[in-house]
Amino acid sequence: MSASAYFQHRFQQFRSLFKWVLLVVPMAVVVGSLCAAFLWSLDKASVTRFDHPWLIFLMPVAGFLMVLVYQRFGRGSEGGNNLIVDQIHEPGGGVPLRMAPFILVSTVLTHLVGGSAGREGTAVQLGGSIASAFAKIFRLSHAEIRVLLMSGIAAGFGAVFGTPIAGAVFALEVLTIGRMQYEALIPSLAAAIAADWTCHAWGIEHIQYHICYLSGTAVSTFHLDALLLVKVGIAGVIFGLAARCFSEVSHRASATFRRFCAYAPLRPVIASAILIGLVYLLGTRQYLGLGVWSPNPGDATILGFFDPTRVDYWSWFWKAVFTIVTLSAGFKGGEVTPLFFIGAALGNAIAAILGAPADLFAGLGFVAVFAGATNTPLACMIMGIELFGATHTVYLAVACFLAYICSGHTSIYLSQRLGIAKSVASGALSADTPLRHIRDGSLKTQRENTHKIEKV
C-alpha cells in the first residue's frame, strides 16, 4: 500500500469515528439524563414503599392497569429488550419512542407496589428507544442503525450500573453467543462513558460494594490460592446451573401464565395474589423490590451478603421465586438486579458450605450468575473489576467463564442468536439461530420423546 493510500485510509477511519462520536454523545447525554431520572424515581418509590407497607395491596390494581395500558397504547413496546436485539439483528420497523416513557413509568410503579424486578431492562429499553429515534432523525442506513442501537444499549447499561466499560462490552457481546461484533466498539464505548458521566453530573451516585478479603494485606493486585481456586471453580459451575434454572423456569412460568389465563391484564392480578400470599406465609417483605438495601437491618440485601459474618442459605431461592412470579406475569422491570441478589446470596451460602471468604464469593456470584443468564462472560468479568477492583480478577474470570459454559444455550433474552456453540458436545446447532428457536425445538423433541415413552 502506498503512503498516500495509507493516509487516505486512516483519514477515512478518523472521519468515521468523529462522525460517530458527534452522533452518539448527544444521544448518550439524553439516555444518561433519563437514567438519572429513572434511578432517582426508583429510589423515591422504594423509600415510599418502605414508609407505607400497605402499598403492596395495590399490586393487583397496578399490574392490571399496567398490562392493560401496554395492550391499548403500547403498540409493540411490550417486546422489551428482545425487540431491541431483534432490531439490531434485522432492522425493520424500529424501536418505538413511546417505549421510553412506558417502561420508565411502569418499572417505577412495579417497585412502588413491591414487585420483585430490576432496572437493567428499563435502562436498555430507554437506550434503545432513544437511539432508534436519533436514527430516524438522521435517516441512517440499516448498518448504521445497528451500530446506534448497540450504542444505546451501552449507554443505558453503563449509566444505570455505573460501569461504562462493562456496558460497552455488554452491548457487543449480548447479541450473539460466542461472537463479538466489533463494528460498534468505539461508538458503544463513547456512548457508555458519556451516559455514565451525565448520570453522575445529575448527582446520582451508585451503591459501592467492597470485598474485604485480602484488603489491608501486602497483596494489592493478585494472589492465587490453589485450594481457593478449586472452590471458585465449584462455585462457578453452581452459578451457571442456577442461571440456567432461572432462565428456563422464567420462560416456562410465562408460558404457564399465558396458557391458563388468556386475558393478559389478569395475569399480574394472579401473580400479586401469589406474592402477597408468600409475604404472609414467610412473614417477611425482604424479597420485594430491588433488594439492594433495606432500612431493616435484618433483611436480606445485596449489600448484606458481602458481610463476612452473615450466613444465609435460602434467600437466593426465595428471591428467584418472587422475581419469576413478578416478571412472568407481566410486571415491568429487568432481571439483572434480582440476578445480582440471587448470585450474591448463593455465593454467600456456598462460601459457608465450602469454608471460603463470604464477601469474595458474594462478589463472584453477583457477576457470574448474570454472566450465565445473559451469555456475557467478558462483560460480567469487566463489571466485577469495575465494581470490586482488580485484585481478584482471576477468580472473577474463572467464575464467569464456568458459569457461561455451564448455563447451556439458554438465556433470559431469547432473541440472542447462536454464533458458536459453547462446546463440541452441543451437537449440530445451526449458527445465527435465535435461542427461542433452539429452545422451541428442544422442547418439541422432549415432548415427542415423552409421548413415545408413554405409548410404550
Side-chain angles (χ1 to χ4, degrees):
M1 180 183 293
S2 65
S4 60
Y6 174 82
F7 284 112
Q8 184 177 6
H9 182 62
R10 295 283 84 80
F11 175 75
Q12 294 294 337
Q13 281 186 322
F14 284 123
R15 188 174 70 172
S16 176
L17 289 177
F18 184 68
K19 180 195 77 171
W20 277 113
V21 169
L22 287 180
L23 184 61
V24 302
V25 168
M27 179 271 294
V29 169
V30 175
V31 173
S33 298
L34 287 174
C35 285
F38 167 63
L39 292 174
W40 179 85
S41 302
L42 202 58
D43 188 58
K44 294 300 180 183
S46 299
V47 171
T48 302
R49 177 174 58 81
F50 283 122
D51 290 341
H52 304 284
W54 55 267
L55 282 170
I56 68 166
F57 296 107
L58 296 181
M59 196 185 302
V61 178
F64 181 88
L65 293 176
M66 187 184 305
V67 175
L68 184 66
V69 169
Y70 258 89
Q71 277 193 330
R72 296 284 180 86
F73 307 105
R75 291 180 298 184
S77 299
E78 66 276 1
N81 292 1
N82 285 304
L83 172 63
I84 297 172
V85 174
D86 280 333
Q87 287 299 311
I88 293 174
H89 284 300
E90 297 178 6
V95 180
L97 182 59
R98 72 182 74 89
M99 178 183 280
F102 268 71
I103 191 61
L104 195 156
V105 173
S106 59
T107 302
V108 172
L109 183 59
T110 294
H111 286 277
L112 180 65
V113 297
S116 178
R119 49 195 176 183
E120 129 283 340
T122 306
V124 168
Q125 290 173 55
L126 287 174
S129 60
I130 298 302
S132 183
F134 269 69
K136 291 176 181 177
I137 291 173
F138 292 99
R139 299 181 180 179
L140 302 181
S141 66
H142 281 346
E144 292 171 327
I145 291 173
R146 282 171 46 84
V147 172
L148 195 60
L149 286 176
M150 292 165 74
S151 302
I153 292 175
F157 191 98
V160 83
F161 293 123
T163 55
I165 302 176
V169 176
F170 178 81
L172 306 180
E173 194 178 19
V174 73
L175 304 177
T176 308
I177 295 177
R179 190 170 66 211
M180 295 275 282
Q181 305 190 34
Y182 288 104
E183 70 268 29
L185 181 60
I186 298 300
S188 292
L189 182 60
I193 293 172
D196 180 54
W197 181 86
T198 301
C199 197
H200 282 290
W202 283 106
I204 299 298
E205 297 297 330
H206 300 283
I207 296 290
Q208 299 296 313
Y209 301 97
H210 300 284
I211 296 177
C212 297
Y213 176 67
L214 292 183
S215 65
T217 67
V219 180
S220 58
T221 55
F222 174 70
H223 175 76
L224 181 62
D225 182 315
L227 179 58
L228 182 58
L229 186 63
V230 171
K231 294 177 180 179
V232 170
I234 295 171
V237 172
I238 297 173
F239 293 146
L241 295 176
R244 180 181 180 87
C245 288
F246 180 89
S247 299
E248 283 300 311
V249 174
S250 294
H251 299 317
R252 289 176 184 267
S254 297
T256 300
F257 272 113
R258 290 194 297 269
R259 186 181 308 117
F260 290 101
C261 183
Y263 187 53
L266 279 181
R267 295 171 197 160
V269 176
I270 297 170
S272 299
I274 295 172
L275 293 173
I276 294 172
L278 285 173
V279 164
Y280 283 92
L281 178 66
L282 299 175
T284 180
R285 300 178 180 223
Q286 61 187 330
Y287 305 118
L288 300 174
L290 274 177
V292 175
W293 63 275
S294 171
N296 307 313
D299 283 356
T301 62
I302 297 177
L303 278 173
F305 298 129
F306 285 80
D307 182 355
T309 64
R310 184 185 182 104
V311 177
D312 193 322
Y313 290 107
W314 290 106
S315 285
W316 65 271
F317 172 79
W318 289 115
K319 185 62 174 179
V321 171
F322 274 71
T323 303
I324 289 169
V325 172
T326 298
L327 297 178
S328 299
F331 283 99
K332 300 302 178 182
E335 299 93 341
V336 172
T337 304
L339 285 171
F340 291 162
F341 184 111
I342 293 165
L346 184 57
N348 182 282
I350 293 172
I353 295 171
L354 297 181
D359 52 349
L360 173 62
F361 273 56
L364 297 179
F366 185 106
V367 292
V369 173
F370 175 32
T374 58
N375 298 302
T376 56
L378 291 176
C380 292
M381 182 190 72
I382 293 170
M383 170 178 269
I385 294 171
E386 288 186 288
L387 291 176
F388 312 129
T391 302
H392 307 293
T393 301
V394 172
Y395 301 133
L396 289 167
V398 170
C400 289
F401 294 169
L402 283 175
Y404 164 76
I405 292 296
C406 294
S407 65
H409 295 105
T410 187
S411 173
I412 56 175
Y413 308 132
L414 290 179
S415 289
Q416 272 186 327
R417 298 196 176 189
L418 178 66
I420 301 173
K422 293 185 180 182
S423 67
V424 177
S426 299
L429 295 174
S430 301
D432 210 35
T433 302
L435 292 187
R436 66 166 60 91
H437 294 166
I438 295 175
R439 183 175 179 275
D440 290 344
S442 175
L443 290 177
K444 181 179 179 181
T445 302
Q446 290 177 18
R447 287 193 293 267
E448 290 174 350
N449 291 338
T450 302
H451 181 65
K452 291 177 181 177
I453 292 172
E454 289 175 348
K455 287 181 68 177
V456 172

